[in-house]
Amino acid sequence: MKVSARSDTAQAAPLPVDLADGVFPAGCPSRTVLDHVTSKWGVLILLALSEGEQRWSDLRRRAEGISEKMLAQTLKTLERDGLVRRDAQPVIPPRVDYSLTDRGYELSALLVPLVAWAFENAEDIVNGQR
Amino acid sequence: MKVSARSDTAQAAPLPVDLADGVFPAGCPSRTVLDHVTSKWGVLILLALSEGEQRWSDLRRRAEGISEKMLAQTLKTLERDGLVRRDAQPVIPPRVDYSLTDRGYELSALLVPLVAWAFENAEDIVNGQR
DNA sequence: CCGCATCCAAGTTGATACTG
DNA sequence: CAGTATCAACTTGGATGCGG
């Protein structure tokens, strides 16, 4: 479905003013949050956890290609942001479960359509470039 | 409308199976697309352009803190991905307008709620870490 | 002047090895 | 199993230069 009236350029500005003013300044907190959330691995981890609680090794396998360092770093950041909850059980061998907080779940609900879009359009996009 | 979300821990898995299988593998195209789209500056540029066509210098000012190099690079990537359209006018002084393609516009529609969420939750999140 | 490619310094990421 | 430490590789950004 085409939205645009002229040629094939999309216009219209459905962007709330306060949002625009709030996100673009360099030092604003939203930049930081966005960076964490849209980081290369952040998206994958949040998405994986949206399926439910998972262990470290599950996540490592799920987010194929992630290094242990980045997994640890990503999880720590998301935990500090209050999006992911860490539940370490004092057993041998150690077992740590990760899950989304309510806020993280809220976020993942917004992430899912984005990822779905990327998935659906990926082939087209990649084919388009030679 | 809220889905359910229990007291403290969010569970449930609203993630389509084919999506999950499609996004997590390392070499899949969706990863690439996601990386472009969720890159540090990609989000900001797409968001800025969702307000309508803009010139290079407008974008440079809008995405505060971006370097010329990263602006050029980001725009080129998004253009190659068919999300941004570049319109160079052969005038002196030179003038180049950037705008979203239909596909880019579609994407920005998904990005806006995400950014809005980040903006609304930013303060809470940043305050939460001591 | 505006748009953008190039070079070099600095920060980020990744593979491997090692500890609790 | 869950993470940390270390070093090498890649990415980012800023200054500079140059064409239109």
Side-chain angles (χ1 to χ4, degrees), chain B residues 16 90 117 124 129:
Chain B
W117 181 92
D124 269 12
Q129 22 207 343

Side-chain angles (χ1 to χ4, degrees), chain B residues 73-128:
Chain B
Q73 189 174 307
T74 303
L75 284 170
K76 207 175 284 182
T77 300
L78 294 177
E79 193 193 351
R80 284 185 55 198
D81 287 350
L83 301 172
V84 163
R85 147 120 126 261
R86 182 177 185 276
D87 179 33
Q89 296 170 43
V91 299
I92 304 281
R95 176 188 176 115
V96 183
D97 289 308
Y98 292 91
S99 52
L100 292 183
T101 62
D102 279 348
R103 177 171 283 166
Y105 188 69
E106 209 179 300
L107 172 60
S108 81
L110 298 174
L111 242 31
V112 167
L114 181 68
V115 175
W117 181 92
F119 180 55
E120 283 159 24
N121 289 265
E123 207 157 325
D124 269 12
I125 289 178
V126 173
N127 285 339

Side-chain angles (χ1 to χ4, degrees), chain A residues 13-128:
Chain A
L15 203 55
V17 181
D18 59 330
L19 174 61
D21 287 346
V23 176
F24 290 113
C28 69
S30 28
R31 282 275 194 98
T32 310
V33 174
L34 263 185
D35 279 356
H36 294 176
V37 160
T38 65
S39 70
K40 178 172 184 180
W41 300 111
V43 181
L44 277 292
I45 296 300
L46 287 168
L47 206 73
L49 287 178
S50 79
E51 297 177 320
E53 190 173 69
Q54 310 211 18
R55 302 181 59 174
W56 164 280
S57 43
D58 293 332
L59 290 172
R60 179 140 171 55
R61 239 172 288 120
R62 208 73 214 281
E64 207 173 283
I66 196 173
S67 66
E68 297 194 339
K69 181 180 160 186
M70 288 322 294
L71 179 55
Q73 188 174 305
T74 303
L75 284 170
K76 211 174 281 181
T77 300
L78 294 176
E79 194 193 350
R80 284 187 54 199
D81 287 351
L83 301 171
V84 163
R85 166 161 38 194
R86 182 177 185 276
D87 179 31
Q89 294 169 44
V91 298
I92 304 280
R95 176 189 177 115
V96 183
D97 290 309
Y98 291 91
S99 52
L100 292 183
T101 62
D102 278 349
R103 176 170 285 165
Y105 186 69
E106 210 179 301
L107 171 61
S108 80
L110 298 174
L111 244 30
V112 168
L114 181 68
V115 175
W117 181 92
F119 180 56
E120 283 159 22
N121 289 265
E123 208 157 325
D124 271 10
I125 289 177
V126 173
N127 284 339

Side-chain angles (χ1 to χ4, degrees), chain B residues 55-57 68-69 72 76 86 94 96 98:
Chain B
R55 301 182 58 176
W56 165 280
S57 43
E68 297 194 341
K69 181 181 163 188
K76 207 175 284 182
R86 182 177 185 276
V96 183
Y98 292 91

